[in-house]
Amino acid sequence: MNIEEFRKKKIGARITDFFNSKPCAACTTGIASLDTAINGGWKAGTVVALGGIPGIGKTTLALLFARAAAKEGHSVLDLSTEQSADKETAIMICQALQEADPENKITLQDVIDRKDESIRDSALQAAFPDNLTIIDASDWEHTAEEIPSMVECLLADDDDDEAENDKFPVVIIDSLQQIRPADANMTYKDVIDNAVSICKHIAVHYNVAVLILSAVNRDYYDSVAPVPLQALYGSSAIDYAMDLIITVQMHGCSPSLSSVAAMAADVRKLDMTVIKQKDGPVGRTIHLEFDAQYCCFASRNGEETVNMTNYENHVDDFLLPDVDADDVVTVRGSLASDDDYDDIGDLFFAGISKN
C-alpha cells in the first residue's frame, strides 16, 4: 500500500465516497413478508443461514428463493451436495406449474415421471433464463475450497451491464453439514469452521449474497419456541459469522406430536423465524403452509400463494432438450402479501423447551 492508497482510507475520504455511492441494493426472497422482516431481502456482502430439521422443506424453499432472485435479474449459483440437477429442476417445474394454475393436479412425482405430454406443454409456457446455474451433487467434491473458483466462474460469466444495475450474484449452498474435509486430518468442527470462513470471505470479497442451508441439533427438533442460535449444528462459528439467521420449524409440535410425525402429512404448517439479524430486528415469524406434493408455499391463512414464475437453464436438459429459449413465453406471477408475520416477545428465546 502506497501513501495515496493509505490516505484514501481516512474517514473523511470514506464519508465522501459513502455519500457519492448508491445505497446497498437488496434481492427479493420471493416472499414479501420475509423481505419486510429482513429490510428488503438478501444483501450483497452478507452470509445467511437457513436452519431446519431434515425433510422440512429447506431445499424446496431455497429453490423458490433462487427462482425469485433469477427473475429479478440476479445471477444465481446453486451448489447441491445431495440432490441431482434433475431433481431440483423437477421441483422448480412443479412450483411454476402450480403457480400458473393452482387447480392443477400435477405433483412433483408426476413431473419426475414425465407423466404425460401436458406437463411438457405446460412447462413450455414459462421462461427459462440462463442466469440460474445448478452444480449437480455429482459435479464437485463437496469441499469448501472448491467454492471460490465456482463463484469466480459465475462472475466471469456475468454480463457487464449486470453490475451496473446492482444485480449482485446470489450463491446457495445446500448444505453446510455435507461439506467434506479437504484434509483427512480435519475434525468435523474444523470442516464447518473452515466452510463458514470461506463463505464469509466469498461474500465480502466478491460482494455476493451467500445463503447456506444448515441442519439443527436433534435436541431441538420438537422445540415449542423458535429454534435458538445454539441449535445450529456443527460449530459456534455459524452463530458468530452469519449476518442473518432464519430457522424453519413445524408449527404446533409438542411431546404428543413430534416434528417427524407431523411431516408425514403432505400439507405442513411451518413457522419461519428471524433469530439473528445484524442490521435489523429479530423475532419476526412468517407463517407458511407447505404442500410437499406440489412444492408450493402459501401464507398460513391460505389467501395467496407465493408466486414465482422463473425457471433455470437445466430445464433444457431435464424436460425440453429440443426447445429454443427464444421460443419460450413468460408467464408472470404475483408475490405474497406483507401481512403474514408476527412479532414474538422474547428476543433471546429464554426458557426454550426442548420437548
Side-chain angles (χ1 to χ4, degrees):
M1 180 182 296
N2 60 36
I3 189 64
E4 289 303 318
E5 291 173 333
F6 180 79
R7 286 170 178 163
K8 289 179 180 178
K9 306 296 182 184
K10 293 182 181 291
I11 187 62
R14 288 190 180 277
I15 290 174
T16 300
D17 290 344
F18 176 82
F19 283 104
N20 287 338
S21 63
K22 295 179 181 179
C24 294
C27 169
T28 183
T29 65
I31 301 176
S33 51
L34 179 56
D35 287 346
T36 300
I38 62 174
N39 294 320
W42 315 128
K43 307 291 196 312
T46 63
V47 185
V48 180
L50 177 67
I53 69 175
I56 200 168
K58 297 189 300 297
T59 295
T60 306
L61 189 59
L63 292 175
L64 183 147
F65 296 155
R67 295 171 57 233
K71 180 179 180 180
E72 204 171 61
H74 298 264
S75 291
V76 181
L77 175 64
D78 176 62
L79 303 176
S80 176
T81 62
E82 299 176 349
Q83 304 276 12
S84 67
D86 269 8
K87 178 64 177 296
E88 296 202 347
T89 300
I91 290 171
M92 290 189 287
I93 290 172
C94 188
Q95 286 177 341
L97 295 181
Q98 181 67 19
E99 291 159 7
D101 179 11
E103 300 302 318
N104 84 62
K105 301 300 181 183
I106 300 173
T107 67
L108 174 61
Q109 194 60 49
D110 291 338
V111 176
I112 291 172
D113 294 340
R114 285 76 156 176
K115 183 177 179 181
D116 55 49
E117 286 298 318
S118 66
I119 297 176
R120 175 189 291 265
D121 294 341
S122 298
L124 280 169
Q125 302 304 310
F128 304 97
D130 288 335
N131 58 336
L132 201 164
T133 303
I134 292 176
I135 302 298
D136 192 290
S138 64
D139 289 338
W140 61 306
E141 298 299 322
H142 307 173
T143 65
E145 285 74 11
E146 296 173 89
I147 299 174
S149 63
M150 289 187 281
V151 173
E152 288 173 358
C153 289
L154 177 72
L155 294 170
D157 195 48
D158 282 349
D159 295 330
D160 293 337
D161 58 352
E162 184 172 282
E164 296 175 3
N165 293 327
D166 296 324
K167 300 302 182 184
F168 55 86
V170 177
V171 178
I172 299 173
I173 301 170
D174 182 6
S175 64
L176 178 61
Q177 283 73 27
Q178 295 300 319
I179 295 294
R180 297 171 181 167
D183 182 343
N185 295 321
M186 296 175 73
T187 67
Y188 183 73
K189 181 180 182 301
D190 290 340
V191 175
I192 298 296
D193 288 349
N194 182 54
V196 170
S197 177
I198 287 175
C199 289
K200 188 72 173 180
H201 172 77
I202 289 169
V204 175
H205 183 74
Y206 296 107
N207 198 39
V208 305
V210 179
L211 173 63
I212 302 173
L213 275 58
S214 175
V216 298
N217 191 297
R218 289 180 180 273
D219 289 343
Y220 296 93
Y221 274 22
D222 302 323
S223 176
V224 175
V227 175
L229 286 172
Q230 62 265 34
L232 296 176
Y233 185 70
S235 170
S236 60
I238 306 172
D239 303 2
Y240 293 111
M242 300 298 159
D243 299 283
L244 175 67
I245 299 178
I246 300 167
T247 56
V248 184
Q249 66 190 108
M250 300 295 298
H251 176 78
C253 288
S254 67
S256 60
L257 178 64
S258 72
S259 56
V260 175
M263 286 195 298
D266 287 329
V267 180
R268 310 165 189 171
K269 293 181 178 181
L270 304 181
D271 292 336
M272 183 164 54
T273 304
V274 178
I275 65 169
K276 179 183 178 181
Q277 183 171 202
K278 287 186 175 179
D279 61 351
V282 298
R284 287 181 168 174
T285 297
I286 293 89
H287 303 294
L288 296 175
E289 191 172 78
F290 171 42
D291 192 323
Q293 273 194 304
Y294 298 99
C295 302
C296 64
F297 295 84
S299 60
R300 185 69 58 75
N301 57 22
E303 292 178 357
E304 296 184 61
T305 299
V306 179
N307 284 334
M308 285 286 105
T309 56
N310 221 27
Y311 296 93
E312 70 85 53
N313 205 34
H314 286 273
V315 174
D316 290 341
D317 296 329
F318 175 77
L319 186 63
L320 308 164
D322 302 320
V323 176
D324 189 331
D326 293 334
D327 296 332
V328 179
V329 180
T330 300
V331 177
R332 299 190 182 277
S334 61
L335 296 177
S337 61
D338 289 14
D339 59 0
D340 56 348
Y341 67 81
D342 294 322
D343 290 333
I344 61 173
D346 185 356
L347 301 186
F348 294 99
F349 311 125
I352 284 179
S353 169
K354 297 184 181 180
N355 297 314

